[in-house]
Amino acid sequence: LRVVRLQFGSLDLRHVTRLRQITELDLRDSSLLKGSLVSISELGQLEVLRLSQDVPALEELDAIVKLPHLKVLDMSRVSRLDDKAFEKVSGAANIQSLVIQSGRLADSSFKYLSRLQALKHLELRSISKATAKTAIGRVLTLPNLESLLMSGGGITDELIPEIVKLQSLKILTLQE
């Protein structure tokens, strides 16, 4: 068993963590019991994590970023991340792919993007015009970024000259 996709109304993740060999965990359609995400630290082989819309507590984010093999973190359904939460996420040194609803991020949260030096794939969904320029400025500091997807009302022609400065970029997707 390598991939687990769970669809539960209310799930206590502590029971799932007994399956220690899991490499991919999809929780997008589950509602987790408060605090149970802390137990994810027991899944030392986890490489891919897709979170539900529940906003993880800071101690839960601590457990996530300490996963030694985590490469893909999909937070596209997480309802909102504040500066402290995104600062925690930026502590995940091995993350190669990050998906977030950037329209729910404060402009100041983007300063933490530059910490994700291993990042190869980034999706900033629902980006607002107010944060798009700041986000691009931080994205330019990611030396290994090969794939960038940006969507939302903040995507304008004015961003293109900045985006083309990304030396390592191979795939660019811009969606309104």
Side-chain angles (χ1 to χ4, degrees):
L1 191 64
R2 295 181 49 87
V3 179
V4 175
R5 182 165 189 224
L6 301 169
Q7 294 178 315
F8 284 92
S10 184
L11 175 69
D12 187 344
L13 194 59
R14 291 174 291 200
H15 301 295
V16 177
T17 58
R18 293 181 186 151
L19 303 169
R20 302 213 191 284
Q21 70 277 22
I22 295 173
T23 58
E24 183 172 339
L25 183 58
D26 187 339
L27 300 170
R28 289 178 293 184
D29 297 320
S30 297
S31 179
L32 300 177
L33 289 178
K34 195 168 189 97
S36 71
L37 198 53
V38 170
S39 64
I40 203 163
S41 61
E42 297 175 32
L43 298 176
Q45 299 304 311
L46 198 63
E47 296 174 8
V48 178
L49 177 60
R50 302 182 196 290
L51 293 174
S52 67
Q53 65 187 25
D54 299 326
V55 180
L58 293 179
E59 60 271 7
E60 292 174 319
L61 287 171
D62 271 338
I64 291 169
V65 301
K66 289 177 183 171
L67 290 167
H69 300 289
L70 188 64
K71 291 180 177 74
V72 177
L73 181 57
D74 183 341
M75 301 182 80
S76 61
R77 293 191 185 176
V78 174
S79 56
R80 68 183 177 282
L81 290 173
D82 60 16
D83 278 2
K84 287 184 180 186
F86 198 65
E87 181 179 11
K88 292 279 187 195
V89 170
S90 72
N94 297 327
I95 295 284
Q96 294 179 8
S97 177
L98 177 64
V99 181
I100 54 173
Q101 284 287 354
S102 55
R104 297 178 180 143
L105 282 177
D107 198 35
S108 57
S109 295
F110 286 102
K111 65 186 170 200
Y112 300 113
L113 262 179
S114 58
R115 293 183 182 176
L116 297 168
Q117 294 293 298
L119 207 59
K120 292 182 179 183
H121 173 82
L122 177 62
E123 291 186 29
L124 300 173
R125 297 180 182 206
S126 305
I127 197 161
S128 68
K129 191 168 188 170
T131 60
K133 202 166 201 170
T134 302
I136 288 298
R138 296 303 179 168
V139 166
L140 289 174
T141 66
L142 300 171
N144 299 309
L145 195 67
E146 297 176 356
S147 173
L148 175 64
L149 180 144
M150 292 179 68
S151 68
I155 307 302
T156 64
D157 294 346
E158 300 163 2
L159 296 178
I160 303 297
E162 294 300 311
I163 293 171
V164 297
K165 292 178 183 176
L166 287 162
Q167 298 290 320
S168 57
L169 196 64
K170 296 177 183 174
I171 300 168
L172 175 63
T173 306
L174 301 175
Q175 301 171 337
E176 193 170 17

